[in-house]
Amino acid sequence: MAQTRRLPPPLPFSQQVAIFSRLAESNPKPETELNFTNPYTLVVAVALSAQATDVGVNKATKGLFAIADTPQAMLALGVEGVTEHIKTIGLFRQKAKNVIALSRILVDEFGGEVPDSRAALTSLPGVGRKTANVVLNSAFNFPSQAVDTHIFRVGNRTHIAPGRDVDEVERAIENNVPVRYQQDAHHWLILHGRYICQARRPRCAVCIISDLCPYEEKTI
């Protein structure tokens, strides 16, 4: 029988405060790097971002959102119209179908408005828990934690939020990161993972929290 990997304890409160105070000082108002104009375009952008880069999604949605920034306008384009705009990103055919399907549900069941409920959001095609958490955080200012591969890596390397899977890391952030930093925590962590604490070779020499991080394989 395989043994369950033992997790290290999360960093103590004082170190959590020290880390997030530095991240906050460095970037006081972190935001998602996906371009959007309203909750609906954010839902679409995040749904399109699966297995695609934010840069690639932004290029694809620039023209799309210029003509369709409501579910009604998106439905008028149809699957073929959406496909034509997003064909440069991965899985574009299925994503186009999902965008039209979620737009139809928003119109038929939610009066054309994006619901501020995780359960309602995850009922939409192509919208999982991570997408719902991004929307709740960035569109509705709810301190939800959208854990992706970057946050999973940073949470475990730094012991800010150790976890065996994304759900455990999400709970660890909620349980251990001071409340004052919860609203922006996932933005700071994803940006830190994307640009500093990278997967193959973390940039420890320029990391502002390196002295507080217990990661043993630091680069020089």
Side-chain angles (χ1 to χ4, degrees):
M1 183 176 178
Q3 290 186 336
T4 302
R5 179 171 67 91
R6 185 176 181 180
L7 293 174
L11 292 179
F13 181 79
S14 60
Q15 282 185 264
Q16 299 271 5
V17 171
I19 284 175
F20 281 97
S21 64
R22 290 185 192 179
L23 294 174
E25 183 177 1
S26 175
N27 186 2
K29 294 184 178 180
E31 296 178 344
T32 177
E33 294 188 319
L34 287 171
N35 294 335
F36 69 99
T37 58
N38 55 33
Y40 172 69
T41 55
L42 180 59
V43 170
V44 173
V46 182
L48 294 177
S49 70
Q51 299 184 45
T53 65
D54 288 358
V55 172
V57 172
N58 289 339
K59 288 181 179 178
T61 57
K62 183 177 180 180
L64 178 62
F65 292 161
I67 60 174
D69 62 354
T70 66
Q72 295 88 343
M74 198 71 73
L75 288 172
L77 282 181
V79 172
E80 291 186 4
V82 175
T83 300
E84 187 62 27
H85 281 280
I86 69 169
K87 61 185 180 181
T88 56
I89 64 176
L91 307 175
F92 65 92
R93 296 187 189 282
Q94 183 58 50
K95 289 177 179 179
K97 293 177 182 178
N98 286 340
V99 167
I100 290 300
L102 72 84
S103 299
R104 171 55 63 193
I105 292 173
L106 289 175
V107 170
D108 291 348
E109 299 183 17
F110 299 101
E113 300 293 328
V114 174
D116 56 352
S117 154
R118 185 182 287 115
L121 286 167
T122 55
S123 73
L124 301 173
V127 177
R129 185 180 180 90
K130 185 185 76 172
T131 298
N133 282 344
V134 172
V135 174
L136 291 174
N137 185 288
S138 295
F140 297 111
N141 297 316
F142 181 78
S144 52
Q145 308 302 328
V147 178
D148 69 350
T149 56
H150 296 300
I151 296 176
F152 181 82
R153 179 174 66 254
V154 174
N156 278 288
R157 275 184 180 171
T158 62
H159 299 181
I160 288 172
R164 298 175 187 86
D165 54 40
V166 294
D167 291 335
E168 283 193 358
V169 171
E170 180 182 334
R171 288 194 297 272
I173 294 172
E174 293 172 344
N175 289 340
N176 297 292
V177 174
V179 169
R180 75 195 86 164
Y181 301 117
Q182 289 276 336
Q183 177 64 44
D184 295 319
H186 100 268
H187 292 298
W188 284 317
L189 294 176
I190 191 173
L191 293 172
H192 194 70
R194 184 173 290 168
Y195 298 112
I196 303 297
C197 195
Q198 296 169 336
R200 293 185 179 180
R201 187 171 175 82
R203 302 174 61 208
C204 300
V206 296
C207 176
I208 62 173
I209 61 171
S210 180
D211 60 310
L212 299 170
C213 171
Y215 184 56
E216 294 180 356
E217 300 176 34
K218 288 189 173 73
T219 56
I220 299 175

